[in-house]
Amino acid sequence: MNGVGQDRPAAGKKAAPLIRGDLSPREIVAELDKYIVGQKKAKRAVAVALRNRIRRLKLDPELREDIAPKNILMIGPTGVGKTEIARRLAKLAGSPFIKVEATKYTEVGYVGRDVESMIRDLMAAGFQMVKQEMQESVTAEAEKLAEEALLDLLLPGTGKKPRDTKGKNQPTVRPMGAFSINPGNTGVPGSALMGAAIQVGIPVNRNMENLDSAQEESRAGTGAEDPAREVPNSTREKFRSLLRQGKLEDRMVEITVSQSPQFPMEMIAGGMEELESSLSGIAGFFGGGKKKKLVTVSRAREILIGEESEKLIDRDRVSDEARQRVEETGIVFIDEIDKIAVKGDRGGGPDVSREGVQRDILPIVEGATVNTKWGPVNTDHILFVAAGAFNVSKPSDLIPELQGRFPLRVELDSLGKDEFLRILTEPKNALTKQYRDLLGTEAVEIEFTPDAVERLAALAADVNSRLENIGARRLHTIMEALLEELSFEAPDIGPAKIPITREYVDKKLSDLVKDQDLGKYIL
């Protein structure tokens, strides 16, 4: 991504996990503008939050511990970019990131996921991120080892080291009997010398019996090298050359792979992480071990590179690095937080459980230590971004303690025709560009005229005003209805060039324009 710099060590004796790059808030907003239209207030808030994390990492360790992140509460209708802002921010920062739904969690004592599992999920994401980075750093060495392993599979025995001949061809010692010597016949008791005779012999090396004849043949030009010693190595090098040229990719080989035990985790309501960690030590009793598979050379290379890179990295180091990165730069996006807000009347029923979920989330956001299978994770400096439409409830319906833990509140604006027009054309991943590239794979070239794009934006805004306002997601519905027939026929009509004009839009969406009952177009 443009504008993203290299990692720099933070100030202090011990380098803290780094946020990728050193972007100013203005640069962060500029990067977010490439994918998200409008919502300047929200972009400025997250840009300042990210910049404050960069600033914090440059402080002395003692002062760094006292600075807590300023958690953000985004308020706005669905489809206006709340989730996309948080996701793009995490990619920009290179931080461990997860998106969770507040409605998936239950109060302690109820069947369901407990809120601590969001930190375990974040730690799993961080571990995978660091592991992938370390594996990429040893890719070259892993590829060399995988190549040797492939050659061993293709030519069994050629890569083996010669057997240890220690102890063979060594001088032999055999006893010859005992003897006694009495010098001078002194008659003194004990003056006789006792000893034993031995025979020392050097055995003949059977493999070297014809050495002289081989040398004579060499001098005579009849051959100087031992074919038994040189042919396998020569064949191995030929196969190595064929491997590197890609001429053996479809050949089948049998490899032995590690087989992970399969536990029926989906049958367990809660505590899956703890159970998995407990059972990992006795995995062998539940089907873990080795399994032979017949695969192609190309697939075997992938498997072997993965196994070799796994061996080359230090998992303890990965765990430590991931835990530190999660604690310092992790981002948790809690969506649909308005669904667990308790209404003002506070009736019975599910509201009790909703308030209980809020109470359980509170210590995680305040700062707690959560046990994971990679070690304890402290949440004091994890950034929490919560979001909700709040079209039924209000932010004030959240318990006061939880409200206080989200000091930054940002209201996102509803999207209208002008925003839809920009969404269809400006972002890197604009819908018009996506459909153009998708149909281009079928040799069907489509080109949207400015009038057509403007008409699509107007239709989306009109439908949102008459029905439920689902924001930019309405554009997906409109675009699918517009190009449904063309997408179906594309493999049969290509190559072709089809302009998408205003008349084409009105023709394909005439039913949508006339019919006031738009139920079938609602997402």
Side-chain angles (χ1 to χ4, degrees), residues 148 151-152 155-161 236:
E148 297 299 330
L151 291 172
D152 290 341
L155 299 169
T158 60
K160 295 180 179 179
K161 296 181 180 179
R236 188 177 179 89

Side-chain angles (χ1 to χ4, degrees), residues 310-327:
E310 186 83 21
K311 296 175 185 176
L312 290 172
I313 63 175
D314 183 358
R315 293 185 67 88
D316 291 335
R317 182 186 168 197
V318 174
S319 299
D320 294 341
E321 174 76 16
R323 186 166 60 253
Q324 193 177 13
R325 189 176 300 187
V326 165
E327 290 180 346

Side-chain angles (χ1 to χ4, degrees), residues 208 210-224:
M208 302 297 292
N210 297 324
L211 178 61
D212 294 337
S213 60
Q215 292 176 344
E216 292 177 359
E217 291 176 359
S218 175
R219 297 189 188 98
T222 58

Side-chain angles (χ1 to χ4, degrees), residues 193-242:
L193 299 176
M194 301 297 295
I198 59 174
Q199 181 186 29
V200 178
I202 300 177
V204 178
N205 187 343
R206 300 298 180 185
N207 295 330
M208 302 297 292
E209 286 181 347
N210 297 324
L211 178 61
D212 294 337
S213 60
Q215 292 176 344
E216 292 177 359
E217 291 176 359
S218 175
R219 297 189 188 98
T222 58
E225 297 178 350
D226 183 3
R229 186 178 298 272
E230 294 298 329
V231 170
N233 290 336
S234 175
T235 305
R236 188 177 179 89
E237 293 306 315
K238 289 179 181 178
F239 269 74
R240 188 190 305 277
S241 177
L242 292 175

Side-chain angles (χ1 to χ4, degrees), residues 152 285 364 407 412 454 493:
D152 290 341
F285 295 100
I364 302 296
L412 285 82
E454 186 174 355
I493 64 175

Side-chain angles (χ1 to χ4, degrees), residues 218-522:
S218 175
R219 297 189 188 98
T222 58
E225 297 178 350
D226 183 3
R229 186 178 298 272
E230 294 298 329
V231 170
N233 290 336
S234 175
T235 305
R236 188 177 179 89
E237 293 306 315
K238 289 179 181 178
F239 269 74
R240 188 190 305 277
S241 177
L242 292 175
L243 266 181
R244 293 178 178 178
Q245 296 173 18
K247 296 182 179 180
L248 302 177
E249 297 299 291
D250 296 330
R251 179 171 294 195
M252 304 299 292
V253 293
E254 187 181 65
I255 65 173
T256 303
V257 297
S258 300
Q259 186 179 14
S260 300
Q262 299 296 326
F263 300 110
M265 290 297 174
E266 67 279 358
M267 299 175 60
I268 306 169
M272 290 190 299
E273 294 83 359
E274 295 87 346
L275 182 60
E276 181 183 1
S277 178
S278 300
L279 293 179
S280 60
I282 53 173
F285 295 100
F286 293 90
K290 300 292 184 179
K291 178 183 179 181
K292 291 186 177 181
K293 294 178 65 175
L294 195 64
V295 297
T296 62
V297 167
S298 60
R299 175 58 181 155
R301 182 185 290 105
E302 295 176 5
I303 296 174
L304 291 171
I305 289 176
E307 290 184 348
E308 295 298 338
S309 60
E310 186 83 21
K311 296 175 185 176
L312 290 172
I313 63 175
D314 183 358
R315 293 185 67 88
D316 291 335
R317 182 186 168 197
V318 174
S319 299
D320 294 341
E321 174 76 16
R323 186 166 60 253
Q324 193 177 13
R325 189 176 300 187
V326 165
E327 290 180 346
E328 299 290 345
T329 69
I331 300 176
V332 177
F333 182 77
I334 307 176
D335 203 4
E336 308 293 350
I337 197 169
D338 58 315
K339 303 301 187 297
I340 62 170
V342 180
K343 297 179 180 60
D345 53 5
R346 295 205 176 188
D351 288 345
V352 177
S353 178
R354 292 173 185 173
E355 187 172 342
V357 174
Q358 294 183 56
R359 288 195 302 266
D360 290 346
I361 291 178
L362 180 60
I364 302 296
V365 178
E366 285 182 335
T369 300
V370 178
N371 291 322
T372 71
K373 63 181 180 180
W374 296 282
V377 175
N378 187 277
T379 66
D380 286 341
H381 301 288
I382 294 176
L383 177 65
F384 291 88
V385 180
F390 289 99
N391 49 8
V392 177
S393 58
K394 302 184 296 296
S396 59
D397 291 333
L398 296 169
I399 61 176
E401 295 84 357
L402 190 59
Q403 293 182 49
R405 288 298 168 178
F406 290 90
L408 300 183
R409 294 189 183 182
V410 182
E411 293 189 12
L412 285 82
D413 303 322
S414 297
L415 303 178
K417 175 186 172 181
D418 294 339
E419 288 78 19
F420 289 154
L421 184 60
R422 296 178 58 194
I423 290 172
L424 286 171
T425 56
E426 291 183 8
K428 282 187 174 182
N429 57 344
L431 282 178
T432 52
K433 299 175 184 177
Q434 292 181 22
Y435 280 96
R436 183 187 61 198
D437 294 342
L438 284 173
L439 292 175
T441 62
E442 305 280 2
V444 176
E445 183 182 351
I446 61 174
E447 189 66 34
F448 290 87
T449 64
D451 289 344
V453 176
E454 186 174 355
R455 180 60 173 159
L456 289 170
L459 283 174
D462 182 48
V463 174
N464 273 347
S465 65
R466 286 185 284 157
L467 298 175
E468 290 291 334
N469 185 0
I470 59 173
R473 293 189 177 93
R474 185 71 65 187
L475 292 173
H476 293 272
T477 307
I478 299 291
M479 292 292 289
E480 279 296 325
L482 174 69
L483 300 174
E484 179 182 6
E485 183 178 352
L486 185 58
S487 297
F488 184 82
E489 296 177 352
D492 302 323
I493 64 175
K497 184 175 181 179
I498 301 176
I500 306 298
T501 62
R502 182 187 178 95
E503 291 74 18
Y504 185 94
V505 172
D506 288 336
K507 178 182 176 182
K508 295 298 181 181
L509 301 179
S510 58
D511 294 337
L512 178 64
V513 175
K514 295 177 183 178
D515 192 359
Q516 296 296 324
D517 183 12
L518 305 175
K520 64 179 180 179
Y521 295 106
I522 299 177

